[in-house]
């Protein structure tokens, strides 16, 4: 498992590409919270 | 106020599209038919860039990350916009990883990679502090110089007698299937699809109507550059070496020998690589900074430059163990799972919404 997770990008991409694309989406959602919080503050 | 001229835009996109492609070889999987592959990819790439410019004209004056909140509202549009920030950030880190392997394998084998990359990143950060206008201006100055060196490289190759036109034969000898397999999706996405990043900078161009024409025409120019480069590499190295080599351009330049005096010109190739990579990385970082500023309501760019560059550096340096897995993840998985959905899927889906909104606005006025 360690070999797959580290180095995190490449091996993960090769073995579980859909997980990486989901991670892209999750990162975008997390960052969106920043916008929503700041939007409501304005 | 930042203003970019059409010539500077042309030069900026040209450097961006050459990027790391110039050294890794474009469509090398197609072997001796890579030049046909490049021509076909250029045609499809021009259509793709045209689609981006149509979207830009429909959403006049807005950056890529502003398109989505403007069309879909804050709860749907904002996460989509952040997806592009993540994409640009990941692509910037991939460039750092490209550089990490190239520098160590070709130029400085004993120098710690973190030191070389840190120096490179420092220059990129300096450029980020100077602003996007300076980067485009430098591109405008450097394009004629790089083109002259490119012409010199062709002259030296021709005079060293290492080229064999028969290496190109038979044309499409292994059928068109191999060519198409390399055209779509890799070659179309690799340089031309990535041009979507410039949707972050198009609103800064002086004449936006002409910016669309310039952006499409630069695809043809870039395609011509890459086709000539492919022809040079194939006629010099032959199909076998071209397909197997990770850095075919460097292998080709090492064969230049004029009168046993002008030799070992791989430094010339590395210079191209460093220049175009620097521009590609800087454009991606600018894309990230602009997207973050706009989506997180940051008033001052300067506060986010250093943190973003530092994280990108760490991601890039820890991304892969070796060049083989780095290329495998990029060329085999990234394009299907990330590039195609974000660079073709979402823009195509966006088109009817943008068109409808623009029609409504016109009717309203």
């Amino acid at each position: 498992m360690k070999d797959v997770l580290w180095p995190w990008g490449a091996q993960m991409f090769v073995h579980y590409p859909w997980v990486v694309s989901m991670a892209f989406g999750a990162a975008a959602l997390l960052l969106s919270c920043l916008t929503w919080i700041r939007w409501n503050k304005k | 106020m930042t203003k970019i001229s059409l010539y500077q835009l042309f030069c900026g996109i040209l450097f961006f599209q050459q990027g790391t492609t110039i050294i890794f070889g474009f469509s090398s999987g197609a072997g001796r038919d890579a030049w046909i592959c490049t021509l076909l990819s250029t045609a499809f790439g021009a259509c793709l860039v045209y689609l981006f410019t149509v979207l830009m004209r429909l959403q006049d004056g807005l950056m890529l990350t502003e398109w989505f909140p403007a069309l879909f509202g804050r709860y749907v549009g904002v996460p989509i916009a952040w997806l592009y920030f993540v994409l640009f950030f990941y692509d910037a880190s991939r460039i750092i990883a490209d550089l990490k392997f190239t520098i160590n394998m070709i130029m400085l084998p004993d120098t710690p990679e973190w030191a070389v990359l840190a120096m490179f990143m420092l220059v990129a950060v300096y450029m980020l502090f100077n602003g996007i206008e300076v980067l485009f201006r430098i591109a405008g100055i450097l394009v004629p110089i790089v083109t002259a060196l490119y012409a010199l490289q062709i002259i030296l190759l021709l005079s060293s007698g290492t080229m064999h036109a028969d290496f190109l034969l038979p044309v499409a000898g292994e059928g068109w299937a191999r060519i198409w397999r390399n055209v779509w999706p890799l070659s179309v996405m690799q340089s031309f699809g990535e041009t979507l990043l410039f949707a972050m900078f198009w609103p800064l161009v002086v004449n936006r109507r002409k910016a669309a024409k310039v952006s499409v025409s630069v695809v043809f120019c870039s395609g011509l550059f890459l086709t000539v480069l492919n022809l040079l590499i194939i006629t010099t190295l032959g199909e076998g070496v071209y397909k197997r080599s990770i850095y075919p351009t460097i292998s080709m330049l090492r064969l230049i020998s004029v009168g046993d005096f002008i030799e070992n010109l791989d430094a010339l190739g590395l210079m191209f690589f460093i220049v175009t990579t620097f521009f590609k990385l800087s454009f991606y970082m600018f894309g990230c900074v602009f997207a973050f500023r706009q989506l997180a309501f940051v008033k001052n760019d300067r506060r986010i430059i250093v943190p973003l560059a530092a994280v990108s550096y760490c991601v890039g340096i820890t991304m892969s163990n070796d060049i083989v897995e780095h290329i495998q993840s990029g060329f085999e998985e990234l394009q299907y799972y990330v590039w195609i959905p974000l660079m073709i899927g979402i823009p195509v889906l966006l088109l009817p919404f943008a068109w409808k909104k623009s029609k409504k606005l016109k009717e309203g006025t």
Side-chain angles (χ1 to χ4, degrees), chain B residues 227-297:
Chain B
T227 308
V228 173
L229 186 71
N230 269 349
L231 282 170
L232 291 174
I233 297 173
I234 299 161
T235 51
T236 311
L237 301 176
E239 175 171 308
V241 181
Y242 181 45
K243 276 183 86 172
R244 279 194 303 275
S245 176
I246 293 172
Y247 305 110
T249 312
I250 296 294
S251 310
M252 172 188 76
L253 289 170
R254 279 183 179 150
L255 290 179
I256 292 178
S257 173
V258 183
D260 291 330
F261 178 64
I262 301 171
E263 288 178 333
N264 295 322
L265 291 177
D266 39 341
L268 195 71
L270 269 169
M271 205 171 71
F272 285 151
F273 177 71
I274 297 288
V275 168
T276 53
T277 306
F278 172 73
F279 276 95
K280 197 164 183 171
L281 175 66
S282 303
F283 279 126
Y284 266 125
M285 289 306 297
F286 268 116
C288 291
V289 170
F290 284 12
F292 199 93
R293 179 190 61 191
Q294 190 255 318
L295 290 167
F297 305 105

Side-chain angles (χ1 to χ4, degrees), chain A residues 6-29:
Chain A
W6 188 265
W8 57 272
Q11 282 298 309
M12 198 69 182
F13 233 133
V14 173
H15 294 285
Y16 307 106
W18 55 271
V19 174
V20 178
S21 49
M22 299 280 270
F24 267 67
L29 266 178

Side-chain angles (χ1 to χ4, degrees), chain A residues 6-11 13-15 17-18 20-21 23-25 27-29 31-36 38-40 42, chain B residues 69 74-75 78-79 82-83 85-87 90 292 295-297 315 318-321 325-326 328-329 333-334 337-338:
Chain A
W6 188 265
W8 57 272
Q11 282 298 309
F13 233 133
V14 173
H15 294 285
W18 55 271
V20 178
S21 49
F24 267 67
L29 266 178
L31 288 163
S32 302
C33 297
L34 184 70
T35 309
W36 292 327
R38 298 198 62 137
W39 210 315
N40 291 329
K42 276 174 92 181
Chain B
R74 71 165 91 164
Y75 291 109
V78 167
W82 273 112
L83 264 179
F85 165 80
V86 178
L87 172 74
Y90 181 77
F292 199 93
L295 290 167
F297 305 105
V315 171
T318 57
M319 191 177 264
S320 10
N321 266 332
E325 68 177 29
H326 180 64
Q328 193 186 0
S329 64
E333 312 298 342
L334 177 73
Y337 289 88
V338 178

Side-chain angles (χ1 to χ4, degrees), chain B residues 17 59 104 166 199 234 304:
Chain B
Q17 289 181 344
Q59 308 260 49
N104 258 17
D166 52 310
I234 299 161
I304 51 173

